[in-house]
Amino acid sequence: MMDMKHTLLEALGIEIVESTAERCVAVMPVDHRTVQPFGYLHGGASVALAETAASAGAQNLIDHTTQACVGLEINANHLKSVKEGTVKAVAEPVHKGRTTIVYQIHIYDEQERLICISRCTLAVIKK
C-alpha cells in the first residue's frame, strides 16, 4: 500500500479501504480539514478524494518497475452537500489503455446518497 505520511492524503484524513484492479474505495472525514467556511464539504476536497481513489486503483493496472501514473484531467459534478460524517469514493476503471487510464468515481455520504460524480484521466508514463 502507498505511504501516506506527509501527503495530501494524510492532511485530509483520506484512507484507502479497498484497492483492486476493478475497484478502489477511499474514505474521508467531513471535518475542519475538508469543509469550506460555511461548514459544507469543500468541492476541492471531494475532487482530491476522487483523484486519490482513481490513482490508488490505477496502481493495480501498471508495471511498477517501469511505469507510473499521474493525473491528466479531472472533472466533478457536486450533487448534494454534506456537513458531517464521512464520505466514500468508489472508483472503477472505464478505460484501461496503454498510455491512459480513465476512472469513473462516485462519492457517497454515510446514507449512501450520491453527492458527487467525477471522471479522472490518468497518464501512464515511463519512470
Side-chain angles (χ1 to χ4, degrees):
M1 193 55 70
M2 296 181 290
D3 182 13
M4 311 296 179
K5 203 80 169 140
H6 306 295
T7 68
L8 182 67
L9 284 69
E10 180 183 48
L12 297 180
I14 296 173
E15 293 181 44
I16 307 299
V17 296
E18 176 185 336
S19 185
T20 69
E22 297 306 318
R23 175 177 144 114
C24 184
V25 179
V27 295
M28 179 178 70
V30 178
D31 64 16
H32 68 281
R33 299 169 290 181
T34 58
V35 297
Q36 37 92 313
F38 301 109
Y40 295 100
L41 177 63
H42 194 292
S46 293
V47 172
L49 177 63
E51 187 165 337
T52 296
S55 296
Q59 299 309 303
N60 296 295
L61 304 174
I62 63 171
D63 177 352
H64 294 271
T65 60
T66 60
Q67 298 174 312
C69 277
V70 295
L72 186 62
E73 189 272 340
I74 190 164
N75 67 40
N77 294 100
H78 307 288
L79 308 173
K80 189 167 191 56
S81 60
V82 179
K83 289 192 92 165
E84 61 186 14
T86 60
V87 290
K88 172 179 71 177
V90 179
E92 296 175 321
V94 293
H95 170 73
K96 302 176 198 175
R98 188 176 45 80
T99 59
T100 59
I101 300 171
V102 179
Y103 272 84
Q104 173 177 279
I105 306 100
H106 289 173
I107 301 178
Y108 302 94
D109 66 11
E110 289 181 331
Q111 289 74 45
E112 293 294 320
R113 293 177 295 203
L114 183 63
I115 64 154
C116 181
I117 298 173
S118 180
R119 187 185 67 239
C120 182
T121 303
L122 302 163
V124 180
I125 61 171
K126 292 180 183 179
K127 278 190 174 180

